Amino acid sequence: HSQAPTDKDQPKEQALANYVAEPYPMQTCVVAGGKLGSMGKPTSLVHKGREVKFCCAACEPKFKEDPDKYLKKIDEAVIAKQSPTYPLDTCLISGDPLGDKPVDFVFENRLVRFCCEMCVDGFLKNPNASLAKLNDAAVKAQLKTYPATKCPVAGGDLGSMGKPVNMMVGHRLVRLCCAGCDKKVKADPVGVLNKVYGAPDKPEAE
């Protein structure tokens, strides 16, 4: 495939302005299956750059015995959650149609779809540029059904301080009254998402 032109020297903060990586996608322990928080504060570890949360410390050794098995479960949860609202029907790298059986790839808890395995390698050479394109498409798609009319940080009406700022928190749009509110989103992305879209029962952030 001919790979879309990218700027490999583009800094992350420029390529992914107004973006916070997807929060941890599961509310249950990937090992035991119980609700995170049901046995006290969840524990966590980072495996090859990926955070994994457990209901208790006893589950960590079981994860380490076969990490690929449990990471696959996390990936499956990400794909199931994000597939219905994935905003593109073309490959981010080649531009070709995704077809009926796209290649689903999870990067930093974010679903990215490609037309073939070759394009995954192209994505990994400069993921920030591709994620920026995915974010642009997601903003356009989600503006149509965005549920809130007020800034989830400051509480004021959107538009009361000029044009609202569109920010992607993982795969979901958050609209702010001004650029100054983005710091609080980055400090508590789960809390802000809960304000916009509603909190699940006993969310893991608790």
Side-chain angles (χ1 to χ4, degrees), residues 54-168:
F54 309 99
C55 60
C56 64
C59 289
E60 293 185 25
K62 295 180 181 179
F63 169 84
K64 292 177 180 178
E65 291 175 3
D66 191 357
D68 289 344
K69 170 185 174 181
Y70 296 110
L71 289 175
K72 183 179 179 181
K73 288 185 178 181
I74 297 175
D75 288 351
E76 289 173 348
V78 169
I79 293 168
K81 181 179 181 181
Q82 299 180 25
S83 289
T85 57
Y86 191 77
L88 293 171
D89 58 8
T90 56
C91 176
L92 279 168
I93 299 302
S94 71
D96 293 337
L98 291 174
D100 296 332
K101 295 182 179 180
V103 174
D104 289 337
F105 182 74
V106 176
F107 179 80
E108 295 180 347
N109 293 329
R110 185 80 181 274
L111 171 62
V112 189
R113 287 182 157 170
F114 305 100
C115 60
C116 67
E117 294 286 351
M118 281 176 50
C119 288
V120 176
D121 294 333
F123 167 81
L124 291 174
K125 291 177 181 178
N126 190 4
N128 295 341
S130 293
L131 287 176
K133 292 179 184 178
L134 181 57
N135 286 346
D136 287 344
V139 168
K140 292 177 182 177
Q142 295 181 38
L143 277 173
K144 302 172 184 177
T145 56
Y146 188 72
T149 59
K150 296 183 180 295
C151 174
V153 175
D157 291 335
L158 293 173
S160 62
M161 298 182 66
K163 186 177 181 180
V165 173
N166 295 323
M167 187 170 190
M168 289 300 297

Side-chain angles (χ1 to χ4, degrees), residues 19-26 51 53 74 78 81-82 108-110 168-172 185 188-191 193 204:
Y19 177 62
V20 179
E22 182 79 18
Y24 189 71
M26 298 185 70
E51 181 186 30
K53 293 186 177 182
I74 297 175
V78 169
K81 181 179 181 181
Q82 299 180 25
E108 295 180 347
N109 293 329
R110 185 80 181 274
M168 289 300 297
V169 180
H171 73 293
R172 287 184 287 185
V185 179
D188 183 19
V190 173
L193 285 175
E204 62 201 9

Side-chain angles (χ1 to χ4, degrees), residues 5-22:
T6 57
D7 181 359
K8 294 183 179 179
D9 297 323
Q10 190 177 33
K12 182 173 183 178
E13 58 269 20
Q14 181 180 346
L16 292 180
N18 298 329
Y19 177 62
V20 179
E22 182 79 18

